[in-house]
Amino acid sequence: MTSATLLLPATAQLSAAGLPPPLARALARADLQLLGGDSRQQLSRHFPQLLAADTLWPVAALTRQFDAGDAGDGHWLRADPAFVAADMQGVRMLAHGPALALDAGQVQQLIQAIAPVFAEQGMALSAPTPERWYLQLPAGLDLPVFADIDNVLGDDLFDHLPGGDAGRLWRSLLSETQVLLHQHPYNRQRASQGLAMVNSLWFWGAGSLPAQVPSAFAQVRSPDPLLQAIAALAGQPEGQGQLVDLRHLRQPQVMIEQALLPLLGALERGELSRLNLDFADGHHYQLNRGQRWRLWRKPQTTLVR
């Protein structure tokens, strides 16, 4: 018998959903922990050894190994393509990576145009996939703290730029590449077609590939390239459970009807020994068959007690 752990979006995104009676009863009788945190800490609960002392993951090295298989012992940084636009409050990132739907051939033209800027600093720029671009960094380079790209989306870039002396180089590289990207014919073509331009980069996820990533899961299912990369690196699992990533689902009823209720049925039939619901804001429900005798607990009407 196995267990299943679901990675779910924050409870606030699902709070408006009505809970069908079987789920309302099961959640009321479940064990609830309030762990706090965000989506990155959510993953850290299941792969804690990837969390470095500075709380930043080596995202670039992990996804580089997944995308190209050549991360080795190199030092990597993501330099992802982004679309930014000015407004009354500053310059905001409005899209990045997959949302830009870039053509692989055109991306290589952009890479060729801006790669010399980084080569002057001893860095190699490459794009094994259109949505994820990488810098291989020289050893010993003093790096600032880089903000995760998902934390920048929708915000003013200047609120997240790397600071201090170590950040000066990266602020300069960002400005120089923005000029070159803005002038590139591919971006003029995209603008004429009403498409978002690739007029900026965002640097983030610095680090080197960890030697190993122990996993408690025999199976990991996720559309997230980072989680796919972690699962691929984990290799032989130490447990028999399965981790299912549903953070991309934004329609509560779809999640309830297609995932939660079927798995709850499997738990009641004894096909699962345990069901864990791990929400991005730290609400963690653990369900098992023995809880069905907690008859004194009234069904809850929302995901949050």
Side-chain angles (χ1 to χ4, degrees):
M1 197 180 302
T2 185
S3 64
T5 297
L6 304 186
L7 296 179
L8 300 165
T11 53
Q13 298 180 29
L14 306 173
S15 58
L19 300 182
L23 184 58
R25 290 192 299 269
L27 291 180
R29 298 169 185 175
D31 295 325
L32 172 63
Q33 290 181 286
L34 302 178
L35 304 175
D38 54 21
S39 59
R40 183 57 51 84
Q41 289 170 307
Q42 181 185 32
L43 286 185
S44 298
R45 291 195 281 272
H46 306 288
F47 301 96
Q49 57 286 336
L50 283 177
L51 193 63
D54 59 2
T55 72
L56 297 177
W57 282 25
V59 174
L62 288 165
T63 57
R64 177 72 190 199
Q65 182 64 19
F66 181 71
D67 287 336
D70 61 356
D73 57 359
H75 302 277
W76 297 92
L77 181 70
R78 289 273 288 269
D80 286 350
F83 168 56
V84 302
D87 61 18
M88 295 295 292
Q89 283 73 44
V91 178
R92 297 188 182 278
M93 182 186 295
L94 302 181
H96 67 81
L100 296 172
L102 300 175
D103 175 82
Q106 300 288 0
V107 161
Q108 294 308 315
Q109 293 183 25
L110 296 177
I111 293 291
Q112 292 172 14
I114 62 176
V117 174
F118 299 102
E120 291 177 359
Q121 304 296 329
M123 308 174 192
L125 177 67
S126 59
T129 72
E131 61 268 19
R132 290 185 292 279
W133 301 6
Y134 297 88
L135 284 169
Q136 186 167 14
L137 308 176
L141 183 64
D142 184 23
L143 295 177
V145 174
F146 296 103
D148 276 11
I149 197 166
D150 287 336
N151 294 333
V152 183
L153 186 64
D155 281 1
D156 186 349
L157 292 190
F158 295 100
D159 291 339
H160 299 278
L161 291 176
D165 291 340
R168 185 178 297 113
L169 169 64
W170 298 99
R171 297 191 297 272
S172 175
L173 289 171
L174 180 63
S175 296
E176 191 170 351
T177 53
Q178 283 177 336
V179 172
L180 292 173
L181 289 169
H182 180 76
Q183 297 173 345
H184 198 277
Y186 178 48
N187 271 322
R188 290 199 296 270
Q189 175 187 334
R190 286 181 68 88
S192 68
Q193 296 172 342
L195 300 175
M197 295 187 295
V198 185
N199 58 2
S200 186
L201 303 178
W202 191 254
F203 308 118
W204 69 291
S208 300
L209 195 66
Q212 59 179 352
V213 181
S215 174
F217 304 102
Q219 184 181 35
V220 176
R221 296 162 55 192
S222 172
D224 179 8
L226 174 58
L227 191 47
Q228 292 177 22
I230 294 169
L233 190 63
Q236 185 66 33
E238 296 179 354
Q240 296 184 354
Q242 55 180 313
L243 181 67
V244 182
D245 183 7
L246 300 179
R247 293 171 296 165
H248 58 290
L249 295 182
R250 291 295 183 266
Q251 295 182 321
Q253 291 307 127
V254 171
M255 184 180 302
I256 289 171
E257 294 172 7
Q258 297 186 11
L260 298 184
L261 289 179
L263 287 172
L264 184 60
L267 182 69
E268 293 173 347
R269 293 190 298 272
E271 297 168 5
L272 285 178
S273 60
R274 186 173 66 254
L275 176 61
N276 300 306
L277 307 182
D278 188 348
F279 292 89
D281 55 355
H283 285 68
H284 187 279
Y285 288 89
Q286 184 178 100
L287 295 81
N288 61 63
R289 292 189 72 201
Q291 295 164 348
R292 66 187 185 277
W293 300 113
R294 295 175 175 176
L295 302 176
W296 62 91
R297 292 190 181 181
K298 296 182 180 180
Q300 62 186 66
T301 58
T302 66
L303 288 170
V304 183
R305 283 185 193 168

